[in-house]
């Protein structure tokens, strides 16, 4: 392990552990129930995804196997949990923003065909993952339409949008040609903002 990763991995996992701690404390203080535990489980899978991606040498975009696959899989499970809980919270009252679940995979397919993304064997998983990140963002915006704009609902709505921005930007970091390494900074900043918002939403 090089010097960069010896610093980066502990730092990343320390910051990510913070949103788990915030979620646990909120659940304890607010005497939350099973439904909130689903969001906590989603955050735990985000934490696991952080660990696996860090171990895959994401700083050098090495995408080591199986760590990279395990990382993406962990985030996929997290998004499934977030999407399910969002649908339950809204009693499956769907509005137009959920169309993002179709728009994002179509956009990824377009980028792959145009050669913007060089996904290789990760093409199909990338399209499937795009359904999940588009779906979660769409459901977050849907939540704002169903319950109205408030300080509490904005945590979930904006958090889901930041998650989409972070993951889509990460796609350029992983699969686009000549992408600058500094792109990791906005990816992590928006990702941590999203996860902490979800933690405080609980």
């Amino acid at each position: 392990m090089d010097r960069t990763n010896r610093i980066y991995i502990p730092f990343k996992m320390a910051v990510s552990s913070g949103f788990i701690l915030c979620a646990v404390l909120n659940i304890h203080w607010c005497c939350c129930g099973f439904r909130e535990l689903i969001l906590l489980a989603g955050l735990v899978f985000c934490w696991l995804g952080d660990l696996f991606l860090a171990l895959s040498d994401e700083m050098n975009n090495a995408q080591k196997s199986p760590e990279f696959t395990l990382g993406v899989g962990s985030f996929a499970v997290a998004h499934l949990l977030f999407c399910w809980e969002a649908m339950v919270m809204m009693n499956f009252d769907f509005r137009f923003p959920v169309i993002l679940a179709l728009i994002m995979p179509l956009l990824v397919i377009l980028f792959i065909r145009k050669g913007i993304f060089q996904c290789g064997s990760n093409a199909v998983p990338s399209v499937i993952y795009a359904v999940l990140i588009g779906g979660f963002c769409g459901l977050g915006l849907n939540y704002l339409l169903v319950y109205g704009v408030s300080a509490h609902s904005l945590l979930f709505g904006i958090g889901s949008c930041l998650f989409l921005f972070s993951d889509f930007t990460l796609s350029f970091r992983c699969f686009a040609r000549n992408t600058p390494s500094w792109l990791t900074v906005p990816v992590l900043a928006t990702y941590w903002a999203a996860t902490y918002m979800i933690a405080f939403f609980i």
Side-chain angles (χ1 to χ4, degrees), residues 101 104-106 108-109 112 119 122-132:
M104 290 308 300
L106 291 176
V108 170
I109 291 172
I112 292 173
C119 296
N122 290 313
V124 173
S126 296
V127 173
I128 295 173
Y129 191 74
V131 175
L132 297 175

Side-chain angles (χ1 to χ4, degrees), residues 20-199:
I20 298 294
L21 178 61
C22 288
V24 170
L25 290 176
N26 283 332
I27 288 174
H28 173 71
W29 288 333
C30 300
C31 299
C32 298
F34 176 76
R35 288 172 57 179
E36 287 75 18
L37 291 178
I38 294 177
L39 292 177
L40 174 60
L43 291 174
V44 170
F45 275 100
C46 288
W47 188 94
L48 289 172
D50 284 336
L51 178 61
F52 287 130
L53 289 183
L55 294 175
S56 74
D57 195 8
E58 64 179 331
M59 286 299 289
N60 296 308
N61 203 24
Q63 300 181 20
K64 292 180 180 178
S65 184
E67 291 88 348
F68 181 77
T69 302
L70 290 170
V72 174
S74 296
F75 276 109
V77 173
H79 280 296
L80 282 171
L81 292 170
F82 291 150
C83 286
W84 172 255
E85 181 58 19
M87 290 187 289
V88 171
M89 287 191 297
M90 294 181 291
N91 296 313
F92 300 92
D93 181 2
F94 299 125
R95 310 288 175 88
F96 72 88
V98 296
I99 195 67
L100 280 172
L102 297 177
I103 293 175
M104 290 308 300
L106 291 176
L107 187 60
V108 170
I109 291 172
L110 176 63
F111 280 18
I112 292 173
R113 290 187 174 180
K114 293 291 185 180
I116 299 173
F117 286 169
Q118 306 291 323
C119 296
S121 60
N122 290 313
V124 173
S126 296
V127 173
I128 295 173
Y129 191 74
V131 175
L132 297 175
I133 63 172
F136 179 42
C137 182
L139 289 167
L141 295 173
N142 198 106
Y143 187 87
L144 291 175
L145 291 178
V146 171
Y147 290 107
V149 176
S150 67
H152 185 242
S153 63
L154 282 173
L155 286 172
F156 193 74
I158 295 177
S160 68
C161 292
L162 289 174
F163 230 129
L164 173 64
F165 179 85
S166 176
D167 280 341
F168 194 57
T169 306
L170 180 61
S171 298
F172 284 91
R173 176 79 171 87
C174 292
F175 302 125
R177 296 178 180 176
N178 303 318
T179 304
S181 59
W182 57 258
L183 202 61
T184 301
V185 174
V187 167
L188 287 175
T190 51
Y191 162 70
W192 280 326
T195 49
Y196 274 89
M197 283 184 176
I198 293 170

